[in-house]
Amino acid sequence: GGVDDLIALGVLASSHESVDLIGVVCIDADCFIDPAVQVCGKLLSGMQAYGRIKYGASTNPFEYLGGVPVGRSTLTAVHEFPREWRALPIKVNNLPVVNTRTVLEQWEANKKHEAFAAGSTTEFQAGEELLAELVLKQGSPTDKVTICVTGPLSNIAYCVKKYGKQFTDNVEAVVIMGGAVDVHGNVYVGLEKEDQSTAEWNIYWDAPSAKTVLECPDLKNVVFALDATNSVPVTSEFVRRFGQQVEGSILSDFIGSSWAMCTHFSAVYGEIFSYYAWDTLTAAWIIRRDIVEGVDKVPMRVIVADESAEHEGRTMRLTVEEAVAAQLNNNCLLARGVRVEEFYNLMLSLATRV
């Protein structure tokens, strides 16, 4: 539910030819969950409503977004994100572009859709069970679900532990933003020097769950670690380009305005805290595989606190021999070789669709 997570949702929702969005789950990680859930609902509702205006009621490719359920995970952190990072979705939720009369009226109508209340007595279904329900109900090998995870892996781990192969057999792949394999991490809690960091925040938030997922032999995990995402900083120059296409485009307005709130990070916190398109790069690969040069099979393990408190959350590359010795038979594919300009141009292009 952080800024980049929310933009990634808009990007996936815009790609109706290649992506059939069936559900959204928010977790209280790099966000405060209440405004994050609100933004998810309002963004999808806005794309639906303005898509109707742009394409016509009978041919609106975004009409189906009104029935996409949004779930709230009840799972909690081992290590919470910094509160100042988590607060950003409050600002996104206040953006004029997601608070027009058109958006709010559509959002209120969509909240009455049966998908939002299914299996729950609350307005939003428990996210971890919504994820399980959406995956388990797929009935054939051709209906397998690709799960794009832009936050911690807690919801996936919950489903793996509770439902086992009944769940994993219905998953085509888990596409993950997380980890730092051959580069420094971005968690600096308790460290004297920045170059001592070995963990990335999504993994560190709940390292035991990350271990469950990344070391699961029954899941295909495609990992966009910092090794890849460090290639795509969100610069002022890039963000300003969205302003040239805002007129008549709710998504360009949303993406440009949201990312604009993050371009100051390096100036305030130093270059080490620059803001990157972590989650949108991950989502972009689902839309276009050639956005990176390739994904390589890399055996890896996740370090948890019982093994090393100093390196908790580290995603460690193993040799084939080390993986065999550790009886580790996971199926992790590590993204490499980001085609940076093609990625930036893809984001700008997708934003004009609605």
Side-chain angles (χ1 to χ4, degrees), residues 21-332:
L21 187 66
I22 62 172
V24 180
V25 175
C26 287
I27 190 167
D28 201 14
D30 191 17
C31 67
F32 292 135
I33 196 167
D34 288 334
V37 167
Q38 290 290 321
V39 176
C40 288
K42 290 196 285 188
L43 176 59
L44 295 180
S45 298
M47 293 177 69
Q48 176 193 9
Y50 285 102
R52 194 180 301 133
I53 294 170
K54 181 173 183 176
Y55 297 100
S58 62
T59 56
N60 178 18
F62 303 109
E63 194 64 40
Y64 84 100
L65 295 177
V68 174
V70 179
R72 296 169 47 112
S73 176
T74 66
L75 305 179
T76 55
V78 177
H79 302 287
E80 288 190 349
F81 274 85
R83 289 182 68 83
E84 60 267 31
W85 299 358
R86 297 177 64 203
L88 282 171
I90 297 174
K91 296 182 178 181
V92 180
N93 195 34
N94 292 335
L95 289 175
V97 70
V98 290
N99 287 287
T100 67
R101 179 176 298 177
T102 299
V103 169
L104 295 180
E105 288 179 352
Q106 188 65 62
W107 174 223
E108 288 303 313
N110 288 346
K111 282 194 290 185
K112 300 173 184 177
H113 194 287
E114 62 181 3
F116 285 97
S120 174
T121 57
T122 60
E123 185 174 279
F124 297 96
Q125 189 171 351
E128 60 273 26
E129 284 298 336
L130 173 61
L131 173 62
E133 175 188 310
L134 292 171
V135 172
L136 293 174
K137 73 179 183 181
Q138 305 307 315
S140 71
T142 58
D143 290 332
K144 287 188 176 183
V145 176
T146 296
I147 306 171
C148 183
V149 187
T150 61
L153 289 161
S154 310
N155 293 310
I156 311 292
Y158 170 92
C159 293
V160 170
K161 290 177 179 178
K162 183 172 182 179
Y163 299 103
K165 284 183 68 64
Q166 186 182 1
F167 177 82
T168 58
D169 284 351
N170 279 358
V171 175
E172 179 67 30
V174 185
V175 185
I176 299 162
M177 190 285 118
V181 180
D182 298 319
V183 298
H184 294 305
N186 61 3
V187 178
Y188 306 108
V189 178
L191 299 180
E192 295 181 1
K193 297 181 179 180
E194 294 164 349
D195 62 4
Q196 293 177 324
S197 177
T198 58
E200 180 276 328
W201 262 103
N202 280 346
I203 305 299
Y204 181 70
W205 194 86
D206 184 359
S209 287
K211 188 176 187 71
T212 295
V213 175
L214 289 173
E215 298 184 12
C216 178
D218 300 317
L219 287 174
K220 174 184 175 183
N221 294 306
V222 182
V223 180
F224 279 76
L226 297 183
D227 307 55
T229 62
N230 284 349
S231 302
V232 284
V234 177
T235 65
S236 294
E237 179 185 14
F238 170 51
V239 171
R240 288 172 188 157
R241 293 171 68 185
F242 287 92
Q244 299 167 22
Q245 56 188 47
V246 160
E247 292 183 17
S249 173
I250 179 179
L251 192 55
S252 291
D253 193 342
F254 176 81
I255 293 175
S257 298
S258 298
W259 262 337
M261 292 188 287
C262 306
T263 53
H264 68 288
F265 271 45
S266 59
V268 175
Y269 303 114
E271 287 297 324
I272 197 69
F273 281 106
S274 293
Y275 201 90
Y276 295 89
W278 301 283
D279 304 320
T280 40
L281 177 63
T282 305
W285 183 82
I286 294 175
I287 300 162
R288 268 188 53 184
R289 297 291 195 266
D290 65 349
I291 211 72
V292 298
E293 293 176 4
V295 291
D296 300 328
K297 187 165 184 177
V298 175
M300 63 179 73
R301 60 187 289 250
V302 178
I303 307 301
V304 294
D306 290 346
E307 298 170 298
S308 171
E310 180 182 0
H311 296 293
E312 182 181 4
R314 180 183 179 186
T315 43
M316 180 182 293
R317 175 193 291 266
L318 301 181
T319 65
V320 174
E321 293 75 18
E322 289 171 333
V324 171
Q327 298 182 323
L328 187 63
N329 185 31
N330 58 354
N331 186 16
C332 289

Side-chain angles (χ1 to χ4, degrees), residues 8-27:
L9 172 61
V11 166
L12 288 170
S14 75
S15 306
H16 54 85
E17 308 97 335
S18 55
V19 175
D20 181 13
L21 187 66
I22 62 172
V24 180
V25 175
C26 287
I27 190 167

